[in-house]
Amino acid sequence: MPGLLRVATAGSVDDGKSTLIGRLLHDSKAVLADQLQAVTSASRSRGYAETDLALLVDGLRAEREQGITIDVAYRYFATPRRSFVLADTPGHVQYTRNMVTGASTADVAVVLVDARTGLTEQSRRHSAIADLLGIRHVVLAVNKMDLVDYREDVFDEVVAQFAQVCDSSWCAIPISALRGDNVVSLSSQTPWYAGLPLLTHLEELALPEAPAPGGRFAVQLVIRPRTPEHRDFRGYGGRVAAGTLNVGDEVVVQPGGWQTTITAIDTYDGPKRSATTGQSVVVSIADDLDAGRGAMLSTGAPGTVTSAASATVCWMTDTPLEPGARYVVRHTTSESRAVVEAVDSRLNVSTFGSEPAESLALNDIGSIRLRFADPLVVDRYRDSRATGGFVLVEERSGATAGVGLVESLS
Amino acid sequence: MTLTVVDSGPIDRESALADLEDESIHILREVVATFDRPVLLFSGGKDSIVMLRLAEKAYWPGKIPFPVMHVDTGHNFSEVIEFRDRRVAELGVQLVVASVQESIDGGRVTEQPGQSRNPLQTVTLLDAIAEHRFTAVLGGARRDEEKARAKERVFSVRDEFGRWDPRNQRPELWDLYNGRHRAGEHVRVFPLSNWTELDVWGYIRREGIEVPDIYYAHRRDVVRRDGMLIAVTPFTPPFENEEVWSETVRYRTVGDATCTGAVRSDASTVDEVIDEVAASTLTERGATRADDRASEAAMEDRKREGYF
């Protein structure tokens, strides 16, 4: 059971994401008096009839002026049972890349849908992104139930639509973020609903284990202190990307492919017998190998060393993704160059089918083939989030142009 | 549809802290691996003290491989400056002091009578970054501090004028941080992004880290100004109409003495501070920072200009 649950919201603009987060924070008593007072007085000076809880999260001037969310806002709160990091992501198509940013580190996505309109193209896009990114559990929050007289058949219809598009583990909750129905406590307006309120669900949720093909540890930094106490120390600083590594394990050091043994796993706080996903440690190995930043230490089935891959890409910049284009690819701790060999298809977010495409525009999701200048050590994204994901960076501007998920290896 | 519900029992705060520590160490290591001239901003405050401990851990058994920099407004609490110098000596790191007073003396900024020097820090900071050609500037800012900070990336590119453009931030995927920047640009890096004030205090307790005495209850002479308790110091003498009295207070943040308020408190141990912060109905900045109250977007406006 993680002590920290990372949650991202998703959904169309005006579906009420910021209001829901404001409501969660407010009703779980995570909003402090000065914050509430600032929001109350801002609402009053804008002439609103009620306090607009969305102002708690829409922190940028332009967001408050337009009443929309432009960039991810991160909020933190703890109940007696769990700590939460909430990424409140924008709904506008224009800011889809910021939604992807918020979703990439999340364990759970809360997809908001307006009960009156059902699934829109943007809520389908967000569901697709949540699925793609391997979010381990989705909560469908059917919002604005107060505006449809809390009717069960309306809720059931949205649930049926969502069942067509979501393959993850998921559940559905009828809510009104504005009124607080089924957010922190169960609502008397929905006696037909047999589940938990949203917050309780998030507090009690047990996530399925993250997939791991084997132990994966990408070298970040070679640590060689050369101090009198540690004259001969040579360790590899890094974070376990997947699985578990133990002292005594046989490891393959890739891309070179050398075999060796883990002799120690150290931290400032003392040596450890093993280290598991997410832990930052210093690993020592038996042989003196040429393993610098970007090298991958694998236990179990090793990763694939490859100069080419097929990937699903979400494109995030105005310049379209086209065959022949070159980018810098950032994958684990390694960096190489990549050329786009082919664009194969684009996801149609209305039908969820794929259609032929020759390029991908801003916010498109599609399949491409890439070739790398140097071999990378990769896994398929569905087998390992941290070793199957990469970003493409524009060489000249340094901008992050797209995110890729390795589908198959060639 | 699958519904997986179990009783999770009471919250595991230690494991949440361990998650945060692992994430922060990863970020610190990325900085050293990918930037040629990093620096860590160290004010002697609790967040930058936690940053130094995380840096000790990230590069252990090596030493911290970059200097630390203090942007000194000249209006600091003496206890904090003493602490700063002692801590830097213990760790054997190099300290760069960027002085707002020197910026004033050199005519780079103009001091407004009766105004805090806090906003002037921006020019001093940007000048020091340019002078030392720092490419990555590590700071202890947390997203929970303020609504504009809540929008920050972990790696945040600043243009050659030090400006932040909140509408055009890079997507930041997983823990793949993109620190690419052009000549003249630099990157602000915030390893404590996902920490809260309570996490910082929980970590100080867990690690047994020393912090300056002014974080704990003590008696000092204060005046009430702008609804805050302001200490009487050589930089903040009482105005003619102000009543001076002695109060038991502590500080939730330490910063420029002219704009940082104290809170009434009897919390004299880490445990008592944690209980007090957990029960407080005011945010850290709402309770003690005058300069954030100027307008709804005061922090955003200062950050756009290059404020930390």
Side-chain angles (χ1 to χ4, degrees):
Chain A
M1 176 66 49
L4 200 60
L5 191 75
R6 297 176 196 242
V7 181
T9 60
S12 284
V13 65
D14 289 334
D15 281 353
K17 293 185 298 300
S18 299
T19 307
L20 174 63
I21 292 202
R23 173 61 65 188
L24 267 178
L25 296 172
H26 178 265
D27 289 7
S28 65
K29 313 251 182 315
V31 178
L32 300 181
D34 54 316
Q35 293 171 316
L36 193 61
Q37 201 226 324
V39 168
T40 308
S41 72
S43 299
R44 201 181 305 123
S45 69
R46 284 170 162 74
Y48 299 162
E50 298 177 63
T51 296
D52 181 2
L53 293 175
L55 292 174
L56 281 170
V57 284
D58 287 339
L60 299 176
R61 188 185 283 282
E63 293 178 322
R64 297 160 82 88
E65 280 163 7
Q66 299 174 47
I68 61 165
T69 305
I70 291 172
D71 207 337
V72 193
Y74 294 90
R75 296 289 146 179
Y76 306 85
F77 74 103
T79 68
R81 307 180 73 176
R82 208 167 216 176
S83 286
F84 295 92
V85 177
L86 276 178
D88 179 27
T89 67
H92 275 87
V93 174
Q94 189 185 352
Y95 297 112
T96 298
R97 60 183 187 178
N98 295 338
M99 184 269 163
V100 177
T101 288
S104 74
T105 49
D107 305 302
V108 176
V110 176
V111 177
L112 261 87
V113 172
D114 186 329
R116 295 170 304 172
T117 53
L119 260 64
T120 60
E121 179 168 314
Q122 189 63 351
S123 43
R124 287 166 192 274
R125 188 192 307 272
H126 282 186
S127 309
I129 292 170
D131 259 358
L132 271 178
L133 287 174
I135 290 216
R136 286 186 276 168
H137 181 75
V138 177
V139 179
L140 169 67
V142 182
N143 192 22
K144 308 198 185 182
M145 288 301 294
D146 53 315
L147 300 181
V148 296
D149 299 324
Y150 298 97
R151 275 166 49 200
E152 186 177 10
D153 60 319
V154 175
F155 175 72
D156 288 344
E157 170 59 27
V158 180
V159 169
Q161 287 177 355
F162 194 72
Q164 305 282 320
V165 303
C166 187
D167 291 328
S168 317
S169 151
W170 66 287
C171 76
I173 304 176
I175 66 163
S176 164
L178 190 66
R179 305 266 165 237
D181 296 296
N182 295 327
V183 175
V184 169
S185 48
L186 280 177
S187 169
S188 58
Q189 306 280 357
T190 53
W192 44 266
Y193 171 65
L196 298 167
L198 175 63
L199 181 62
T200 314
H201 179 65
L202 294 176
E203 284 181 314
E204 298 189 350
L205 184 68
L207 290 173
E209 281 274 315
R216 295 284 185 274
F217 180 88
V219 175
Q220 264 189 297
L221 197 61
V222 180
I223 295 179
R224 289 211 66 182
R226 297 190 180 92
T227 53
E229 311 94 283
H230 296 100
R231 194 163 298 286
D232 298 319
F233 189 95
R234 178 191 171 92
Y236 299 101
R239 194 176 189 197
V240 180
T244 302
L245 306 172
N246 305 291
V247 175
D249 278 356
E250 298 253 324
V251 287
V252 182
V253 181
Q254 294 172 304
W258 302 292
Q259 301 240 344
T260 184
T261 311
I262 295 177
T263 53
I265 299 174
D266 285 306
T267 70
Y268 174 97
D269 297 301
K272 297 164 78 83
R273 295 295 308 160
S274 68
T276 188
T277 312
Q279 293 183 329
S280 286
V281 295
V282 182
V283 171
S284 300
I285 53 178
D287 300 286
D288 202 4
L289 301 173
D290 173 23
R293 179 173 165 85
M296 182 81 75
L297 276 54
S298 296
T299 64
T304 303
V305 180
T306 182
S307 294
S310 296
T312 302
V313 168
C314 178
W315 203 240
M316 298 171 159
T317 189
D318 291 323
T319 315
L321 173 74
E322 289 173 336
R326 288 163 189 274
Y327 295 95
V328 172
V329 57
R330 279 275 281 116
H331 169 259
T332 64
T333 57
S334 61
E335 193 168 288
S336 180
R337 274 156 219 277
V339 58
V340 179
E341 291 275 278
V343 175
D344 292 328
S345 63
R346 173 175 40 230
L347 179 78
N348 180 321
V349 290
S350 307
T351 63
F352 272 74
S354 65
E355 55 194 29
E358 278 157 17
S359 68
L360 297 179
L362 178 68
N363 297 320
D364 275 351
I365 299 166
S367 292
I368 67 165
R369 277 172 285 153
L370 286 168
R371 198 157 44 80
F372 310 123
D374 308 294
L376 299 177
V377 187
V378 300
D379 292 291
R380 293 184 309 169
Y381 188 79
R382 78 181 72 119
D383 296 330
S384 164
R385 201 172 184 173
T387 53
F390 61 87
V391 297
L392 296 175
V393 174
E394 281 177 359
E395 173 100 50
R396 281 176 66 190
S397 67
T400 302
V403 44
L405 315 170
V406 175
E407 293 298 330
S408 65
L409 311 162
S410 39
Chain B
M1 188 177 343
T2 54
L3 193 62
T4 40
V5 172
V6 294
D7 188 343
S8 60
I11 187 173
D12 186 353
R13 287 191 190 280
E14 284 309 309
S15 105
L17 272 185
D19 282 355
L20 291 170
E21 180 188 68
D22 286 321
E23 179 177 73
S24 300
I25 288 174
H26 174 81
I27 295 163
L28 283 159
R29 286 175 175 166
E30 282 300 284
V31 168
V32 165
T34 58
F35 290 91
D36 50 352
R37 297 180 70 85
V39 67
L40 185 149
L41 290 188
F42 180 57
S43 62
K46 65 184 185 307
D47 303 309
S48 55
I49 291 168
V50 164
M51 288 273 287
L52 274 181
R53 169 56 54 91
L54 291 164
E56 280 184 274
K57 293 193 175 194
Y59 315 112
W60 176 92
K63 296 273 186 210
I64 296 173
F66 41 69
V68 302
M69 178 160 74
H70 182 215
V71 180
D72 184 349
T73 64
H75 289 169
N76 294 288
F77 294 96
S78 54
E79 300 92 327
V80 177
I81 295 296
E82 283 160 23
F83 181 91
R84 175 196 78 184
D85 292 341
R86 182 155 52 80
R87 195 76 193 102
V88 160
E90 283 164 7
L91 290 171
V93 291
Q94 182 203 344
L95 172 69
V96 176
V97 177
S99 158
V100 172
Q101 185 63 53
E102 281 176 24
S103 300
I104 295 169
D105 295 345
R108 298 276 297 140
V109 293
T110 309
E111 191 165 26
Q112 304 293 320
Q115 295 285 304
S116 155
R117 283 182 169 184
N118 214 33
L120 307 183
Q121 284 185 74
T122 301
V123 171
T124 309
L125 171 66
L126 294 177
D127 285 350
I129 290 170
E131 181 194 335
H132 296 277
R133 294 180 289 116
F134 292 128
T135 50
V137 182
L138 286 153
R142 309 186 320 265
R143 287 174 179 150
D144 85 317
E145 282 178 73
E146 210 278 335
K147 57 187 180 292
R149 288 227 204 271
K151 299 280 177 177
E152 268 284 8
R153 295 286 190 263
V154 174
F155 273 41
S156 182
V157 181
R158 301 302 158 110
D159 70 11
E160 59 176 315
F161 304 102
R163 288 179 309 188
W164 179 56
D165 180 1
R167 298 182 80 157
N168 194 27
Q169 300 192 76
R170 287 179 183 167
E172 195 156 83
L173 280 299
W174 306 290
D175 55 7
L176 292 180
Y177 301 108
N178 176 2
R180 290 211 158 219
H181 58 281
R182 290 175 280 208
E185 295 178 337
H186 70 275
V187 180
R188 305 270 171 99
V189 182
F190 305 104
L192 302 186
S193 284
N194 287 327
W195 296 54
T196 65
E197 183 183 11
L198 265 180
D199 293 327
V200 166
W201 278 107
Y203 195 71
I204 288 168
R205 171 165 66 186
R206 186 185 102 174
E207 297 288 310
I209 304 174
E210 194 192 343
V211 296
D213 299 340
I214 69 170
Y215 279 114
Y216 300 112
H218 57 287
R219 281 193 84 77
R220 68 164 69 221
D221 286 350
V222 295
V223 296
R224 181 163 290 283
R225 193 176 294 169
D226 299 334
M228 293 190 306
L229 295 176
I230 297 289
V232 174
T233 68
F235 328 113
T236 48
F239 298 147
E240 248 173 49
N241 56 348
E242 283 177 334
E243 180 200 349
V244 177
W245 79 98
S246 172
E247 183 72 75
T248 303
V249 296
R250 71 173 202 90
Y251 283 83
R252 277 176 81 176
T253 66
V254 303
D256 185 283
T258 62
C259 65
T260 305
V263 291
R264 236 184 232 111
S265 170
D266 294 316
S268 55
T269 65
V270 180
D271 287 322
E272 287 167 5
V273 168
I274 287 174
D275 289 345
E276 182 186 282
V277 170
S280 172
T281 60
L282 288 178
T283 62
E284 183 177 336
R285 289 197 161 254
T288 63
R289 285 297 177 96
D291 45 344
D292 291 336
R293 300 176 173 188
S295 82
E296 259 192 84
M299 171 76 88
E300 178 184 349
D301 292 345
R302 279 183 290 131
K303 278 168 65 68
R304 279 172 179 276
E305 298 307 315
Y307 182 78
F308 217 85

